[in-house]
Amino acid sequence: QVQLVESGGGLVQPGGSLRLSCAASGITSSFRVMGWYRQAPGKQRELVANINIVGSTVYAVSVKGRFTISRDYALNTVFLQMNSLKPEDTGIYFCNGIVDARGYWGQGTQVTVSS
């Protein structure tokens, strides 16, 4: 059974940084794509960033230049380095992985940006 487990969320002041991690288990191959989505209160879940198996990345316009996504292919882990955080970055951050045409989600980790 494939599982994705996020960690690294928390409360941070505006302008601060956080690093999210997502570790996969129960999988013997590499995810074709791994990514991060977020959902703010009262809003739909949106793509933050993803990275495919050859390292190509996609970022939401709102985070480009502030967030960096990376992968450890050997450990099937994906990271999201978030810098210059803003209050509008607040939300639950979900890890997503796609393999064999199936998508998997983590349980989410809360990120709150507030003074």
Side-chain angles (χ1 to χ4, degrees), residues 22-58:
C22 172
S25 61
I27 182 171
T28 57
S29 57
S30 294
F31 286 100
R32 182 172 61 82
V33 181
M34 295 190 81
W36 291 93
Y37 289 71
R38 68 186 178 193
Q39 188 164 17
K43 294 188 176 181
Q44 290 188 330
R45 192 175 298 189
E46 62 175 0
L47 173 69
V48 176
N50 66 32
I51 181 168
N52 68 13
I53 199 166
V54 296
S56 297
T57 57
V58 173

mmCIF file of all heavy atoms in Angstrom, residues 22-58:
data_model
loop_
_atom_site.group_PDB
_atom_site.id
_atom_site.type_symbol
_atom_site.label_atom_id
_atom_site.label_comp_id
_atom_site.label_asym_id
_atom_site.label_seq_id
_atom_site.Cartn_x
_atom_site.Cartn_y
_atom_site.Cartn_z
ATOM 1 N N CYS A 22 8.119 15.122 2.207
ATOM 2 C CA CYS A 22 7.103 14.099 1.964
ATOM 3 C C CYS A 22 7.820 12.807 1.626
ATOM 4 O O CYS A 22 8.504 12.727 0.607
ATOM 5 C CB CYS A 22 6.184 14.521 0.834
ATOM 6 S SG CYS A 22 5.042 13.229 0.309
ATOM 7 N N ALA A 23 7.650 11.825 2.488
ATOM 8 C CA ALA A 23 8.299 10.538 2.294
ATOM 9 C C ALA A 23 7.282 9.499 1.856
ATOM 10 O O ALA A 23 6.196 9.396 2.440
ATOM 11 C CB ALA A 23 8.975 10.109 3.595
ATOM 12 N N ALA A 24 7.660 8.728 0.848
ATOM 13 C CA ALA A 24 6.771 7.693 0.320
ATOM 14 C C ALA A 24 7.219 6.331 0.827
ATOM 15 O O ALA A 24 8.400 6.066 1.015
ATOM 16 C CB ALA A 24 6.796 7.703 -1.203
ATOM 17 N N SER A 25 6.240 5.471 1.036
ATOM 18 C CA SER A 25 6.523 4.087 1.401
ATOM 19 C C SER A 25 5.586 3.180 0.637
ATOM 20 O O SER A 25 4.560 3.629 0.099
ATOM 21 C CB SER A 25 6.362 3.873 2.907
ATOM 22 O OG SER A 25 5.035 4.143 3.311
ATOM 23 N N GLY A 26 5.924 1.898 0.579
ATOM 24 C CA GLY A 26 5.067 0.938 -0.094
ATOM 25 C C GLY A 26 5.153 0.977 -1.603
ATOM 26 O O GLY A 26 4.260 0.472 -2.287
ATOM 27 N N ILE A 27 6.239 1.559 -2.123
ATOM 28 C CA ILE A 27 6.398 1.658 -3.568
ATOM 29 C C ILE A 27 7.814 1.227 -3.935
ATOM 30 O O ILE A 27 8.770 1.586 -3.232
ATOM 31 C CB ILE A 27 6.106 3.090 -4.056
ATOM 32 C CG1 ILE A 27 6.219 3.208 -5.570
ATOM 33 C CG2 ILE A 27 6.996 4.107 -3.360
ATOM 34 C CD1 ILE A 27 5.741 4.529 -6.119
ATOM 35 N N THR A 28 7.940 0.445 -5.014
ATOM 36 C CA THR A 28 9.251 -0.047 -5.423
ATOM 37 C C THR A 28 9.798 0.680 -6.643
ATOM 38 O O THR A 28 10.964 0.523 -6.979
ATOM 39 C CB THR A 28 9.180 -1.546 -5.729
ATOM 40 O OG1 THR A 28 8.185 -1.759 -6.739
ATOM 41 C CG2 THR A 28 8.797 -2.336 -4.489
ATOM 42 N N SER A 29 8.960 1.490 -7.285
ATOM 43 C CA SER A 29 9.422 2.261 -8.439
ATOM 44 C C SER A 29 9.355 3.739 -8.105
ATOM 45 O O SER A 29 8.913 4.119 -7.020
ATOM 46 C CB SER A 29 8.564 1.943 -9.667
ATOM 47 O OG SER A 29 7.200 2.199 -9.392
ATOM 48 N N SER A 30 9.818 4.564 -9.045
ATOM 49 C CA SER A 30 9.791 6.006 -8.813
ATOM 50 C C SER A 30 8.483 6.619 -9.301
ATOM 51 O O SER A 30 7.959 6.224 -10.335
ATOM 52 C CB SER A 30 10.955 6.671 -9.550
ATOM 53 O OG SER A 30 12.188 6.271 -8.998
ATOM 54 N N PHE A 31 7.995 7.575 -8.559
ATOM 55 C CA PHE A 31 6.825 8.322 -9.012
ATOM 56 C C PHE A 31 7.163 9.058 -10.309
ATOM 57 O O PHE A 31 8.235 9.644 -10.435
ATOM 58 C CB PHE A 31 6.389 9.338 -7.959
ATOM 59 C CG PHE A 31 5.722 8.744 -6.771
ATOM 60 C CD1 PHE A 31 6.416 8.546 -5.600
ATOM 61 C CD2 PHE A 31 4.380 8.391 -6.817
ATOM 62 C CE1 PHE A 31 5.801 8.003 -4.493
ATOM 63 C CE2 PHE A 31 3.755 7.848 -5.723
ATOM 64 C CZ PHE A 31 4.467 7.655 -4.549
ATOM 65 N N ARG A 32 6.257 9.050 -11.261
ATOM 66 C CA ARG A 32 6.465 9.807 -12.485
ATOM 67 C C ARG A 32 6.491 11.303 -12.178
ATOM 68 O O ARG A 32 7.295 12.042 -12.735
ATOM 69 C CB ARG A 32 5.359 9.500 -13.498
ATOM 70 C CG ARG A 32 5.545 10.218 -14.827
ATOM 71 C CD ARG A 32 4.527 9.727 -15.860
ATOM 72 N NE ARG A 32 3.157 9.980 -15.460
ATOM 73 C CZ ARG A 32 2.533 11.132 -15.611
ATOM 74 N NH1 ARG A 32 3.161 12.165 -16.131
ATOM 75 N NH2 ARG A 32 1.272 11.254 -15.242
ATOM 76 N N VAL A 33 5.613 11.730 -11.304
ATOM 77 C CA VAL A 33 5.546 13.124 -10.873
ATOM 78 C C VAL A 33 5.305 13.147 -9.370
ATOM 79 O O VAL A 33 4.523 12.331 -8.858
ATOM 80 C CB VAL A 33 4.396 13.904 -11.571
ATOM 81 C CG1 VAL A 33 4.377 15.359 -11.111
ATOM 82 C CG2 VAL A 33 4.521 13.819 -13.074
ATOM 83 N N MET A 34 5.947 14.061 -8.694
ATOM 84 C CA MET A 34 5.646 14.325 -7.293
ATOM 85 C C MET A 34 5.425 15.826 -7.155
ATOM 86 O O MET A 34 6.074 16.619 -7.842
ATOM 87 C CB MET A 34 6.767 13.876 -6.358
ATOM 88 C CG MET A 34 6.983 12.386 -6.355
ATOM 89 S SD MET A 34 8.116 11.847 -5.042
ATOM 90 C CE MET A 34 6.973 11.829 -3.629
ATOM 91 N N GLY A 35 4.511 16.183 -6.280
ATOM 92 C CA GLY A 35 4.228 17.605 -6.162
ATOM 93 C C GLY A 35 3.583 17.986 -4.853
ATOM 94 O O GLY A 35 3.305 17.134 -4.002
ATOM 95 N N TRP A 36 3.373 19.274 -4.727
ATOM 96 C CA TRP A 36 2.736 19.862 -3.551
ATOM 97 C C TRP A 36 1.534 20.680 -3.993
ATOM 98 O O TRP A 36 1.622 21.464 -4.952
ATOM 99 C CB TRP A 36 3.713 20.760 -2.795
ATOM 100 C CG TRP A 36 4.822 20.019 -2.129
ATOM 101 C CD1 TRP A 36 6.059 19.766 -2.636
ATOM 102 C CD2 TRP A 36 4.781 19.424 -0.830
ATOM 103 N NE1 TRP A 36 6.804 19.032 -1.736
ATOM 104 C CE2 TRP A 36 6.041 18.818 -0.610
ATOM 105 C CE3 TRP A 36 3.818 19.345 0.162
ATOM 106 C CZ2 TRP A 36 6.356 18.143 0.573
ATOM 107 C CZ3 TRP A 36 4.127 18.678 1.341
ATOM 108 C CH2 TRP A 36 5.387 18.091 1.537
ATOM 109 N N TYR A 37 0.447 20.484 -3.280
ATOM 110 C CA TYR A 37 -0.759 21.268 -3.451
ATOM 111 C C TYR A 37 -1.079 21.919 -2.105
ATOM 112 O O TYR A 37 -0.600 21.471 -1.060
ATOM 113 C CB TYR A 37 -1.936 20.386 -3.873
ATOM 114 C CG TYR A 37 -1.841 19.851 -5.288
ATOM 115 C CD1 TYR A 37 -0.920 18.865 -5.630
ATOM 116 C CD2 TYR A 37 -2.684 20.330 -6.292
ATOM 117 C CE1 TYR A 37 -0.830 18.385 -6.922
ATOM 118 C CE2 TYR A 37 -2.610 19.847 -7.587
ATOM 119 C CZ TYR A 37 -1.682 18.876 -7.886
ATOM 120 O OH TYR A 37 -1.599 18.399 -9.170
ATOM 121 N N ARG A 38 -1.887 22.959 -2.148
ATOM 122 C CA ARG A 38 -2.320 23.560 -0.890
ATOM 123 C C ARG A 38 -3.790 23.943 -0.978
ATOM 124 O O ARG A 38 -4.316 24.192 -2.060
ATOM 125 C CB ARG A 38 -1.479 24.791 -0.526
ATOM 126 C CG ARG A 38 -1.671 25.987 -1.434
ATOM 127 C CD ARG A 38 -0.693 27.096 -1.067
ATOM 128 N NE ARG A 38 -0.813 28.248 -1.956
ATOM 129 C CZ ARG A 38 0.062 29.236 -2.016
ATOM 130 N NH1 ARG A 38 1.135 29.228 -1.221
ATOM 131 N NH2 ARG A 38 -0.130 30.256 -2.848
ATOM 132 N N GLN A 39 -4.399 23.990 0.189
ATOM 133 C CA GLN A 39 -5.810 24.371 0.270
ATOM 134 C C GLN A 39 -5.976 25.353 1.407
ATOM 135 O O GLN A 39 -5.734 25.012 2.585
ATOM 136 C CB GLN A 39 -6.695 23.142 0.482
ATOM 137 C CG GLN A 39 -8.170 23.442 0.393
ATOM 138 C CD GLN A 39 -9.003 22.196 0.215
ATOM 139 O OE1 GLN A 39 -8.554 21.081 0.458
ATOM 140 N NE2 GLN A 39 -10.232 22.364 -0.221
ATOM 141 N N ALA A 40 -6.364 26.565 1.062
ATOM 142 C CA ALA A 40 -6.645 27.589 2.058
ATOM 143 C C ALA A 40 -8.102 27.475 2.492
ATOM 144 O O ALA A 40 -8.931 26.927 1.757
ATOM 145 C CB ALA A 40 -6.366 28.969 1.482
ATOM 146 N N PRO A 41 -8.429 27.975 3.669
ATOM 147 C CA PRO A 41 -9.820 27.904 4.146
ATOM 148 C C PRO A 41 -10.792 28.526 3.146
ATOM 149 O O PRO A 41 -10.588 29.651 2.688
ATOM 150 C CB PRO A 41 -9.778 28.702 5.449
ATOM 151 C CG PRO A 41 -8.372 28.591 5.919
ATOM 152 C CD PRO A 41 -7.539 28.573 4.671
ATOM 153 N N GLY A 42 -11.817 27.771 2.794
ATOM 154 C CA GLY A 42 -12.835 28.270 1.881
ATOM 155 C C GLY A 42 -12.428 28.300 0.424
ATOM 156 O O GLY A 42 -13.178 28.811 -0.412
ATOM 157 N N LYS A 43 -11.260 27.744 0.102
ATOM 158 C CA LYS A 43 -10.792 27.767 -1.278
ATOM 159 C C LYS A 43 -10.536 26.361 -1.775
ATOM 160 O O LYS A 43 -10.427 25.413 -0.995
ATOM 161 C CB LYS A 43 -9.521 28.605 -1.396
ATOM 162 C CG LYS A 43 -9.727 30.082 -1.118
ATOM 163 C CD LYS A 43 -8.488 30.887 -1.449
ATOM 164 C CE LYS A 43 -8.720 32.377 -1.256
ATOM 165 N NZ LYS A 43 -7.517 33.182 -1.612
ATOM 166 N N GLN A 44 -10.419 26.234 -3.095
ATOM 167 C CA GLN A 44 -10.137 24.940 -3.679
ATOM 168 C C GLN A 44 -8.648 24.609 -3.555
ATOM 169 O O GLN A 44 -7.808 25.499 -3.438
ATOM 170 C CB GLN A 44 -10.545 24.941 -5.163
ATOM 171 C CG GLN A 44 -12.042 24.975 -5.386
ATOM 172 C CD GLN A 44 -12.397 24.782 -6.851
ATOM 173 O OE1 GLN A 44 -11.643 25.145 -7.739
ATOM 174 N NE2 GLN A 44 -13.553 24.180 -7.091
ATOM 175 N N ARG A 45 -8.379 23.330 -3.599
ATOM 176 C CA ARG A 45 -6.993 22.883 -3.589
ATOM 177 C C ARG A 45 -6.318 23.334 -4.885
ATOM 178 O O ARG A 45 -6.879 23.218 -5.960
ATOM 179 C CB ARG A 45 -6.934 21.371 -3.441
ATOM 180 C CG ARG A 45 -5.570 20.814 -3.137
ATOM 181 C CD ARG A 45 -5.629 19.313 -2.882
ATOM 182 N NE ARG A 45 -6.446 18.993 -1.715
ATOM 183 C CZ ARG A 45 -6.523 17.774 -1.183
ATOM 184 N NH1 ARG A 45 -5.795 16.782 -1.698
ATOM 185 N NH2 ARG A 45 -7.286 17.550 -0.142
ATOM 186 N N GLU A 46 -5.079 23.834 -4.755
ATOM 187 C CA GLU A 46 -4.372 24.336 -5.922
ATOM 188 C C GLU A 46 -2.954 23.788 -5.958
ATOM 189 O O GLU A 46 -2.344 23.505 -4.912
ATOM 190 C CB GLU A 46 -4.320 25.868 -5.903
ATOM 191 C CG GLU A 46 -3.576 26.465 -4.726
ATOM 192 C CD GLU A 46 -3.444 27.972 -4.794
ATOM 193 O OE1 GLU A 46 -3.927 28.587 -5.760
ATOM 194 O OE2 GLU A 46 -2.848 28.554 -3.865
ATOM 195 N N LEU A 47 -2.438 23.687 -7.170
ATOM 196 C CA LEU A 47 -1.064 23.234 -7.351
ATOM 197 C C LEU A 47 -0.101 24.319 -6.868
ATOM 198 O O LEU A 47 -0.245 25.492 -7.234
ATOM 199 C CB LEU A 47 -0.784 22.919 -8.815
ATOM 200 C CG LEU A 47 0.664 22.584 -9.162
ATOM 201 C CD1 LEU A 47 1.079 21.240 -8.562
ATOM 202 C CD2 LEU A 47 0.877 22.584 -10.678
ATOM 203 N N VAL A 48 0.884 23.906 -6.093
ATOM 204 C CA VAL A 48 1.953 24.818 -5.681
ATOM 205 C C VAL A 48 3.178 24.594 -6.575
ATOM 206 O O VAL A 48 3.716 25.536 -7.153
ATOM 207 C CB VAL A 48 2.332 24.590 -4.210
ATOM 208 C CG1 VAL A 48 3.527 25.475 -3.826
ATOM 209 C CG2 VAL A 48 1.146 24.861 -3.295
ATOM 210 N N ALA A 49 3.598 23.341 -6.684
ATOM 211 C CA ALA A 49 4.761 23.008 -7.513
ATOM 212 C C ALA A 49 4.791 21.510 -7.726
ATOM 213 O O ALA A 49 4.294 20.749 -6.887
ATOM 214 C CB ALA A 49 6.058 23.462 -6.856
ATOM 215 N N ASN A 50 5.354 21.084 -8.860
ATOM 216 C CA ASN A 50 5.619 19.669 -9.035
ATOM 217 C C ASN A 50 6.938 19.466 -9.767
ATOM 218 O O ASN A 50 7.502 20.405 -10.348
ATOM 219 C CB ASN A 50 4.459 18.940 -9.702
ATOM 220 C CG ASN A 50 4.196 19.349 -11.133
ATOM 221 O OD1 ASN A 50 5.114 19.713 -11.874
ATOM 222 N ND2 ASN A 50 2.960 19.256 -11.564
ATOM 223 N N ILE A 51 7.415 18.232 -9.711
ATOM 224 C CA ILE A 51 8.688 17.880 -10.332
ATOM 225 C C ILE A 51 8.547 16.476 -10.895
ATOM 226 O O ILE A 51 8.047 15.572 -10.221
ATOM 227 C CB ILE A 51 9.844 17.982 -9.302
ATOM 228 C CG1 ILE A 51 11.184 17.637 -9.948
ATOM 229 C CG2 ILE A 51 9.584 17.139 -8.067
ATOM 230 C CD1 ILE A 51 12.385 18.001 -9.077
ATOM 231 N N ASN A 52 8.972 16.307 -12.155
ATOM 232 C CA ASN A 52 8.790 14.996 -12.757
ATOM 233 C C ASN A 52 10.056 14.146 -12.627
ATOM 234 O O ASN A 52 11.030 14.545 -11.989
ATOM 235 C CB ASN A 52 8.321 15.127 -14.213
ATOM 236 C CG ASN A 52 9.392 15.711 -15.129
ATOM 237 O OD1 ASN A 52 10.562 15.803 -14.770
ATOM 238 N ND2 ASN A 52 8.974 16.091 -16.320
ATOM 239 N N ILE A 53 10.007 12.997 -13.254
ATOM 240 C CA ILE A 53 11.057 12.013 -13.045
ATOM 241 C C ILE A 53 12.401 12.438 -13.626
ATOM 242 O O ILE A 53 13.452 11.943 -13.200
ATOM 243 C CB ILE A 53 10.610 10.642 -13.590
ATOM 244 C CG1 ILE A 53 11.445 9.509 -13.000
ATOM 245 C CG2 ILE A 53 10.633 10.647 -15.119
ATOM 246 C CD1 ILE A 53 10.869 8.147 -13.206
ATOM 247 N N VAL A 54 12.387 13.393 -14.549
ATOM 248 C CA VAL A 54 13.655 13.871 -15.109
ATOM 249 C C VAL A 54 14.061 15.210 -14.515
ATOM 250 O O VAL A 54 15.033 15.822 -14.943
ATOM 251 C CB VAL A 54 13.603 13.970 -16.651
ATOM 252 C CG1 VAL A 54 13.410 12.589 -17.257
ATOM 253 C CG2 VAL A 54 12.547 14.944 -17.119
ATOM 254 N N GLY A 55 13.300 15.662 -13.532
ATOM 255 C CA GLY A 55 13.679 16.875 -12.819
ATOM 256 C C GLY A 55 13.087 18.165 -13.319
ATOM 257 O O GLY A 55 13.429 19.241 -12.811
ATOM 258 N N SER A 56 12.198 18.099 -14.288
ATOM 259 C CA SER A 56 11.529 19.313 -14.758
ATOM 260 C C SER A 56 10.509 19.767 -13.717
ATOM 261 O O SER A 56 9.797 18.949 -13.142
ATOM 262 C CB SER A 56 10.833 19.055 -16.086
ATOM 263 O OG SER A 56 11.779 18.718 -17.073
ATOM 264 N N THR A 57 10.445 21.067 -13.512
ATOM 265 C CA THR A 57 9.590 21.605 -12.470
ATOM 266 C C THR A 57 8.541 22.557 -13.024
ATOM 267 O O THR A 57 8.724 23.178 -14.077
ATOM 268 C CB THR A 57 10.418 22.359 -11.419
ATOM 269 O OG1 THR A 57 11.169 23.403 -12.069
ATOM 270 C CG2 THR A 57 11.386 21.429 -10.711
ATOM 271 N N VAL A 58 7.437 22.655 -12.291
ATOM 272 C CA VAL A 58 6.367 23.599 -12.582
ATOM 273 C C VAL A 58 6.021 24.290 -11.269
ATOM 274 O O VAL A 58 5.917 23.634 -10.230
ATOM 275 C CB VAL A 58 5.117 22.882 -13.144
ATOM 276 C CG1 VAL A 58 3.957 23.857 -13.266
ATOM 277 C CG2 VAL A 58 5.432 22.234 -14.487
#
